[in-house]
Amino acid sequence: MNKHVYRDIFRYHEETKHRFDRYARSPGFMDWQNQPNPFRFYGNKNIIYLPLLKNNPEAAYMDLYRRQNNTPKPFILEHIAGFLELSLGLSAWKAVSGSKWSLRINPSSGNLHPTEAYLVIPPMGTIQAGVYHYNPLIHALEPRIRVPAETWDLLLKYFETNGFLVGLSSIFWRESWKYGERAFRYCNHDVGHALAALSFSANLWGWKMTFLNSLSDDDVEKILGFDRTGWKRLEQEDPDLLCFVHSHQHQKVCRGLPEDIISAFSDLAVEGKPNILSKENTDWEIIYQTSRLTRKPATPEVHIDAGKRPFFATSEISLTAAEIIRQRRSATDFNSEKSIPKGHFLAMLDKTIARDDCAPFDIQLMEPSVNLLLFVHNVESLDQGLYFFLRHQADLDEMRPIFHPDFPWKQVQKGFPLYLLKRGNFRHDAIEVSCHQEIAGYSAFSLGMITKFRNIIKKEAYRYRHLFWETGMIGQILYLEAEAHGARGTGIGCFFDDAVHDIMGFKDNTWQSLYHFTVGVPIEDPRLTTYPAYHHLQRT
Ligand SMILES: Cc1cc2nc3c(=O)[nH]c(=O)nc-3n(C[C@H](O)[C@H](O)[C@H](O)COP(=O)(O)O)c2cc1C
């Protein structure tokens, strides 16, 4: 790889680090006049309004991970609607003193939601095969490309099984409007959250998602029609990925698409015109430059063997999978007096380990590259202190020498990859390094996602984005795990990067902390009124 490419990516990363003496460049104020519309519309006439679920699927929470109980359902519109409702749909509306805003099943930094979703679906009754945009506000599909039956047949023949494609894209402007240059990072975290949310939801219909990891971003753009859409400058959608959704019983799925299918799509006309999101936009140039540098080329198909590992035994979860998915929220305040049981803490960490045939990591993104630095504040039967959790145990030998030499690396429990680095009260340190946010220190525990960095990006620049996706996926697991265990979580994108590295003793960018998270017993904000997700629609 040209060394300017990775140098420029490292430069972006350095320049968008928050530091004690200066935050990454951002507007520094809220330009309410130009607040971007969080919903994309294409203004089509032939919108397909999707049915809302009458009843939640009955799957148990653990069925999000273990697949043997999940009976594959047919790929009909009603089921696809449910799959979207429980992954990217609205989850509620909140209101306080005259202002009202929607929340979604998937979280997003600042609730700005830069991630958009597209489906490529087969013909279903009166619905033609095609590329459709999912609009979560009206829970509807907007037609973008009509796909002729013979092109769909090519796809079916290629995959040798029924299914459909789901694609994600990012509108950087939605995040940069508030967060400036650091926004590119947040957009990619959000992709990871959305990806995990989709992968979990697929299980409720007995389906599984496979990431088409050999496709180039150019190919994704051609299939979704972005290359022939008239975007407003700075409001364009950047292609992130395409996944194939199929029965979980169908194991051998290709990870790319042949040239004839891609070129068949690239000749098809697009419908609809993207809505304008803001009157005026600011050009945070380094974001678009980094996006170009990290565009994915076509690559050989990758198959990752994550291995099998039993789950850490935990108490029965009484809520169903769908109930937990629907009630996921970010905590805004924690009760620092309240602890969580050690068994719950270990079970949450354990779920973040990638396993074969287990959502969400069996979408097959990449080799696990993220381990967890933990600030344990209030976990029963566990000393307060700094801990390290190895999601990828093979990293131990590489990591130990780059940490402070006086850390004892004392394993907490035989067979469980959790190590004590230092006893003590780290509430203040956690708050300080998290841009002084109290949620990082008044919780039961918070953590930094420590990611193998320099060598991965030097080898393949596009992996810069995938590393953020992996951390977002871990965040989504933690959100659901927290709810399942009677706690609540919050993603933390705002932290002082190098202050975190100093805690561990890192001297360079071999590993970097990319995303933080906090879990504890929440304190609800009594000022907020909550409304049901789709109370604004006259539809069942
Ligand atoms: C990538 C990411 C970064 C976030 N960073 C912060 C943060 O630094 N501080 C905070 O209080 N909340 C943070 N959040 C939580 C969001 O503000 C929250 O997801 C959003 O307001 C939507 O609310 P909900 O999660 O309850 O649906 C973050 C969420 C994500 C996904």
Side-chain angles (χ1 to χ4, degrees):
M1 191 204 308
N2 181 331
K3 82 175 164 206
H4 296 297
V5 172
Y6 63 77
R7 281 201 183 152
D8 283 351
I9 295 170
F10 295 156
R11 185 173 66 88
Y12 170 77
H13 196 71
E14 284 303 312
E15 291 197 7
T16 55
K17 282 181 172 172
H18 287 325
R19 301 177 194 280
F20 284 126
D21 59 346
R22 66 131 185 90
Y23 283 86
R25 272 183 292 276
S26 75
F29 71 104
M30 304 289 268
D31 178 10
W32 296 116
Q33 297 292 321
N34 287 303
Q35 184 181 16
N37 187 335
F39 298 102
R40 169 68 89 205
F41 283 85
Y42 282 97
N44 316 57
K45 277 198 227 96
N46 304 317
I47 293 179
I48 301 167
Y49 292 98
L50 299 171
L52 290 162
L53 284 164
K54 290 197 193 81
N55 300 304
N56 275 336
E58 280 166 11
Y61 175 64
M62 276 308 290
D63 294 338
L64 293 182
Y65 295 90
R66 297 190 187 121
R67 291 221 163 85
Q68 67 268 26
N69 299 329
N70 302 344
T71 312
K73 300 253 182 359
F75 297 101
I76 57 173
L77 195 68
E78 193 187 334
H79 298 153
I80 291 176
F83 161 69
L84 290 168
E85 184 181 337
L86 289 178
S87 52
L88 305 177
L90 301 190
S91 57
W93 290 78
K94 295 277 176 189
V96 68
S97 52
S99 73
K100 193 171 170 187
W101 63 95
S102 59
L103 297 176
R104 303 196 199 178
I105 296 289
N106 56 316
S108 167
S109 184
N111 201 26
L112 298 167
H113 288 285
T115 316
E116 293 291 331
Y118 293 80
L119 299 188
V120 187
I121 49 173
M124 288 180 277
T126 55
I127 294 165
Q128 207 180 324
V131 178
Y132 293 83
H133 168 247
Y134 175 57
N135 182 321
L137 178 65
I138 53 173
H139 191 48
L141 294 177
E142 301 176 279
R144 294 250 55 220
I145 300 176
R146 311 272 162 179
V147 174
E150 58 273 19
T151 309
W152 182 263
D153 287 345
L154 282 178
L155 260 177
L156 263 195
K157 243 204 217 138
Y158 175 69
F159 284 114
E160 296 179 349
T161 186
N162 286 323
F164 62 95
L165 297 169
V166 53
L168 295 178
S169 65
S170 297
I171 305 175
F172 304 138
W173 165 244
R174 283 217 186 105
E175 282 291 315
S176 63
W177 165 75
K178 179 172 179 190
Y179 295 114
E181 293 186 349
R182 198 169 161 101
F184 182 68
R185 298 172 175 220
Y186 297 163
C187 290
N188 283 295
H189 288 313
D190 280 11
V191 171
H193 279 283
L195 201 47
L198 286 161
S199 167
F200 281 133
S201 179
N203 283 324
L204 302 173
W205 282 268
W207 306 335
K208 175 176 173 175
M209 296 221 312
T210 300
F211 170 45
L212 302 185
N213 59 30
S214 80
L215 283 186
S216 70
D217 286 349
D218 285 356
D219 293 342
V220 176
E221 215 161 44
K222 282 180 199 156
I223 290 164
L224 300 181
F226 294 173
D227 57 339
R228 44 207 194 276
T229 296
W231 304 109
K232 181 185 174 201
R233 195 176 100 79
L234 303 176
E235 293 190 359
Q236 67 270 25
E237 296 186 22
D238 259 60
D240 287 309
L241 55 97
L242 264 188
C243 290
F244 185 56
V245 185
H246 51 94
S247 155
H248 79 86
Q249 288 163 350
H250 185 87
Q251 294 292 340
K252 279 176 86 185
V253 177
C254 312
R255 312 288 155 92
L257 285 173
E259 202 40 58
D260 60 333
I261 294 184
I262 295 164
S263 65
F265 270 87
S266 45
D267 290 339
L268 302 172
V270 291
E271 295 175 30
K273 196 166 171 264
N275 58 338
I276 303 290
L277 304 179
S278 302
K279 264 199 294 198
E280 288 170 23
N281 316 74
T282 308
D283 186 352
W284 296 97
E285 207 185 330
I286 197 168
I287 289 186
Y288 300 93
Q289 186 197 359
T290 311
S291 155
R292 279 193 299 276
L293 294 173
T294 55
R295 252 179 111 82
K296 185 181 177 299
T299 48
E301 293 195 10
V302 178
H303 293 253
I304 295 145
D305 180 6
K308 301 219 176 304
R309 184 186 165 93
F311 283 102
F312 186 85
T314 182
S315 48
E316 228 15 72
I317 309 286
S318 58
L319 296 173
T320 64
E323 285 168 331
I324 289 170
I325 286 174
R326 284 191 193 278
Q327 75 169 44
R328 183 214 64 77
R329 294 283 183 285
S330 292
T332 50
D333 194 7
F334 289 107
N335 185 338
S336 62
E337 304 287 312
K338 293 218 168 147
S339 60
I340 60 165
K342 182 178 170 190
H344 291 186
F345 171 64
L346 300 186
M348 291 181 205
L349 297 181
D350 176 60
K351 292 289 191 327
T352 69
I353 295 178
R355 292 165 163 90
D356 281 344
D357 205 26
C358 265
F361 292 110
D362 67 351
I363 62 155
Q364 301 251 322
L365 180 63
M366 62 193 289
E367 283 274 327
S369 308
V370 182
N371 297 305
L372 309 177
L373 172 75
L374 291 142
F375 302 88
V376 174
H377 309 309
N378 203 353
V379 175
E380 285 159 29
S381 316
L382 196 64
D383 288 339
Q384 276 193 322
L386 201 61
Y387 291 77
F388 204 74
F389 180 68
L390 282 165
R391 293 178 60 246
H392 193 234
Q393 295 198 33
D395 292 334
L396 182 60
D397 291 344
E398 186 187 324
M399 298 215 73
R400 271 186 83 148
I402 59 168
F403 275 67
H404 286 304
D406 46 348
F407 288 154
W409 289 85
K410 188 166 173 279
Q411 194 160 12
V412 168
Q413 191 163 311
K414 205 165 160 250
F416 197 77
L418 177 67
Y419 299 84
L420 173 68
L421 300 183
K422 197 173 179 178
R423 279 196 182 80
N425 181 339
F426 280 85
R427 284 191 194 275
H428 174 73
D429 302 69
I431 292 171
E432 196 173 46
V433 299
S434 305
C435 301
H436 312 290
Q437 298 184 85
E438 292 185 345
I439 50 169
Y442 292 160
S443 56
F445 69 94
S446 61
L447 58 88
M449 302 189 196
I450 312 303
T451 310
K452 194 176 283 188
F453 193 76
R454 188 180 56 205
N455 292 344
I456 289 186
I457 295 157
K458 273 177 104 167
K459 202 164 148 219
E460 289 165 313
Y462 67 90
R463 293 275 187 207
Y464 183 59
R465 284 155 58 206
H466 292 193
L467 293 174
F468 284 96
W469 298 357
E470 186 178 344
T471 61
M473 293 172 80
I474 295 170
Q476 192 64 16
I477 295 170
L478 291 171
Y479 264 119
L480 297 188
E481 276 291 290
E483 299 288 342
H485 290 97
R488 183 146 282 177
T490 306
I492 299 185
C494 188
F495 56 90
F496 298 118
D497 305 59
D498 286 341
V500 180
H501 302 147
D502 288 346
I503 291 175
M504 291 170 287
F506 291 179
K507 300 271 183 291
D508 60 26
N509 68 353
T510 316
W511 291 76
Q512 296 279 277
S513 189
L514 292 193
Y515 187 27
H516 284 222
F517 206 88
T518 185
V519 175
V521 179
I523 299 174
E524 298 294 339
D525 186 341
R527 295 166 303 175
L528 297 181
T529 312
T530 306
Y531 296 92
Y534 285 105
H535 71 285
H536 58 297
L537 299 185
Q538 307 294 315
R539 217 183 316 156
T540 50

